[in-house]
Amino acid sequence: DRKVEFGGSAVHWLQPHVFAEMQRYGKGFEEVPLVDLDATNVMLSSGEVRRISPDEFIHEYDSAMEAFNSRSKELFPRPFSPFFNPEVLQLENVSAADHIETLGLNDIQKATLNAELTLYGGAPTSEFSYTSMVKIYALAAWSYYAFTDSEKHYKVSDGGTLGLCQAILDHSGAEVRLGKVVSKIQQDRDGVQIATTDGQVVSAKTAVITIPTKVYDSIEFNPPLSQEKQQFIANAEMCDAACMFVRFEENMGNTFSFCDDPNPFTAVQTEHFDDSTGTIVKVTLGRQSLIDMNDRDVVAAEMKKLFPDATMRDMASYNWVADPFSKQGWPSYRVGWFSKYKDMAKAEGRLYFAGGATADGWHEYIDGAVESGIRVGREVRKAMALESQAGVA
């Protein structure tokens, strides 16, 4: 009898674009249990579980994250201009795993750091761009505390993410057509025609495309998208992540667990606990393909490794990778592809491109999506004003 969010939910006042929208529509913050932890676990890559005190857990994770991001202010002095320091481009081919190996971490530090980065990459850290992660850290004022507070501590109150989206939609007055699957987008000198699988065609002067990167291949573009965009679509993102919730009969208090790759439950965080409900945990899977999230017995067996004395009562999951209108988790960049997001953001004729993957800032968050919308709205207004002026002339 509790609402949960399977999609993007993390927000913070350090994320300026989504915070501005929350302010615009009077939305506040709902706190998720994150501080004052009662118990913490670390599962090593071998599957061994270390049950350590919250103080030790925080200290070791803090040390590992600060070591990984030690150059964040130097590399990203202006995080929303990520290539202001040209050295960032020179580090394009360094993976998160490459950098971890240079840090001399102990077992707990390495496991917590590798788990966090597997979560952000939605892939093994050998595939995840080192610099793209450091940029996100830099956006949180180059601070470990601020970064942790921004990534897992708060979500939107008063209806959650859906409530914020609904408020934006209601204010816009836009027409929405649900259940219409786009099959083809064609443009010429005068306009754009968007065809749907049920035979409808929508004509407009321009089109803004906001779909997740992996969905582009489901649509025929005429003329075809640029080679740079096609290469980005095929190679740049690899997020295999998903989300699920599990309810236990027992009140286990406020718990947090990190599980190093290749264990399937990357992060397990208490969402709610009391004596009547028991404990509800949110499980983030950096690599959902490692487990069948719909197999109750398999999920229960995996949970027993972390909580051997707990009784699993309910589970609910959603696999965004299997969804044909998503095909991926959040935007994350493969090593060697971070700088190429600029190619994905470039307008092509009358087509304009938005979405979190095209953002300069918090590209893995709701904030990045909002940022991209602001940018593309500005681009369209400018282009339409120039076209109108030319028509009058």
Side-chain angles (χ1 to χ4, degrees):
D1 298 323
R2 293 185 62 86
K3 290 183 178 180
V4 294
E5 299 220 41
F6 289 106
S9 61
V11 292
H12 200 272
W13 47 91
L14 285 174
Q15 298 166 351
H17 304 92
V18 70
F19 182 49
E21 295 305 302
M22 292 170 66
Q23 293 285 88
R24 189 192 314 273
Y25 299 106
K27 300 294 183 179
F29 292 93
E30 179 180 337
E31 190 170 9
V32 176
L34 182 64
V35 296
D36 299 325
L37 292 163
D38 297 310
T40 46
N41 304 307
V42 178
M43 185 180 287
L44 305 183
S45 59
S46 64
E48 176 190 351
V49 177
R50 302 273 183 92
R51 306 188 189 284
I52 61 178
S53 71
D55 286 346
E56 182 182 359
F57 180 96
I58 292 168
H59 172 74
E60 298 289 23
Y61 171 66
D62 181 351
S63 300
M65 281 298 290
E66 288 193 336
F68 185 87
N69 294 286
S70 62
R71 298 189 64 202
S72 63
K73 195 166 189 177
E74 175 188 356
L75 291 175
F76 296 99
R78 301 183 186 181
F80 280 96
S81 300
F83 309 113
F84 180 78
N85 181 345
E87 188 182 354
V88 173
L89 293 172
Q90 298 171 20
L91 298 172
E92 180 83 297
N93 293 317
V94 177
S95 72
D98 292 336
H99 189 60
I100 290 172
E101 290 304 314
T102 70
L103 301 177
L105 305 178
N106 64 37
D107 287 350
I108 298 296
Q109 292 169 341
K110 189 171 183 177
T112 55
L113 178 61
N114 207 56
E116 180 78 294
L117 301 183
T118 299
L119 185 156
Y120 270 87
T125 54
S126 59
E127 297 183 32
F128 185 36
S129 163
Y130 156 62
T131 47
S132 72
M133 183 66 204
V134 178
K135 181 201 72 169
I136 293 176
Y137 186 92
L139 286 159
W142 313 281
S143 162
Y144 156 74
Y145 180 86
F147 169 76
T148 301
D149 203 53
S150 69
E151 64 162 348
K152 296 184 179 75
H153 198 177
Y154 297 98
K155 54 187 178 181
V156 182
S157 64
D158 308 315
T161 304
L162 180 60
L164 178 59
C165 292
Q166 191 65 52
I168 294 170
L169 175 60
D170 291 346
H171 185 203
S172 75
E175 176 189 352
V176 177
R177 303 185 189 184
L178 298 176
K180 300 297 181 184
V181 181
V182 174
S183 58
K184 185 176 182 179
I185 299 177
Q186 181 167 328
Q187 64 165 321
D188 53 33
R189 194 177 76 172
D190 298 321
V192 180
Q193 295 78 46
I194 301 171
T196 62
T197 53
D198 61 359
Q200 294 188 28
V201 176
V202 177
S203 297
K205 287 186 175 182
T206 65
V208 175
I209 303 169
T210 68
I211 58 177
T213 302
K214 292 299 182 185
V215 182
Y216 274 87
D217 282 347
S218 304
I219 298 173
E220 177 187 350
F221 288 86
N222 187 20
L225 297 177
S226 67
Q227 284 297 314
E228 290 81 4
K229 278 191 175 57
Q230 292 184 44
Q231 290 172 7
F232 186 95
I233 291 163
N235 300 296
E237 295 185 62
M238 69 290 184
C239 189
D240 188 35
C243 174
M244 67 184 302
F245 291 84
V246 173
R247 184 173 74 89
F248 296 101
E249 181 177 298
E250 297 81 7
N251 180 354
M252 300 188 295
N254 189 12
T255 72
F256 192 94
S257 302
F258 265 139
C259 305
D260 193 1
D261 191 50
N263 299 292
F265 296 159
T266 312
V268 182
Q269 174 182 352
T270 292
E271 281 272 315
H272 178 81
F273 60 98
D274 62 43
D275 290 338
S276 60
T277 303
T279 306
I280 299 173
V281 297
K282 178 181 181 179
V283 185
T284 308
L285 299 87
R287 298 173 64 196
Q288 59 79 32
S289 55
L290 295 174
I291 192 171
D292 183 352
M293 292 189 299
N294 297 312
D295 189 322
R296 184 184 178 92
D297 292 338
V298 170
V299 170
E302 196 66 30
M303 280 296 174
K304 278 290 183 185
K305 297 177 184 178
L306 290 173
F307 310 112
D309 299 323
T311 308
M312 193 177 87
R313 287 301 183 198
D314 301 299
M315 54 175 276
S317 63
Y318 194 82
N319 191 341
W320 291 100
V321 179
D323 186 322
F325 305 110
S326 174
K327 294 187 178 181
Q328 64 184 90
W330 41 87
S332 62
Y333 303 126
R334 181 174 273 114
V335 61
W337 287 87
F338 170 33
S339 66
K340 308 299 191 300
Y341 80 89
K342 292 286 192 181
D343 294 331
M344 200 66 211
K346 291 177 182 175
E348 297 192 5
R350 292 179 172 274
L351 302 184
Y352 295 82
F353 300 87
T358 70
D360 290 325
W362 297 84
H363 64 272
E364 298 204 17
Y365 287 80
I366 300 169
D367 192 79
V370 180
E371 177 203 327
S372 76
I374 292 170
R375 170 189 54 78
V376 83
R378 182 176 65 249
E379 291 172 350
V380 171
R381 287 193 302 272
K382 181 178 180 181
M384 291 297 95
L386 290 173
E387 185 169 308
S388 177
Q389 293 169 8
V392 171

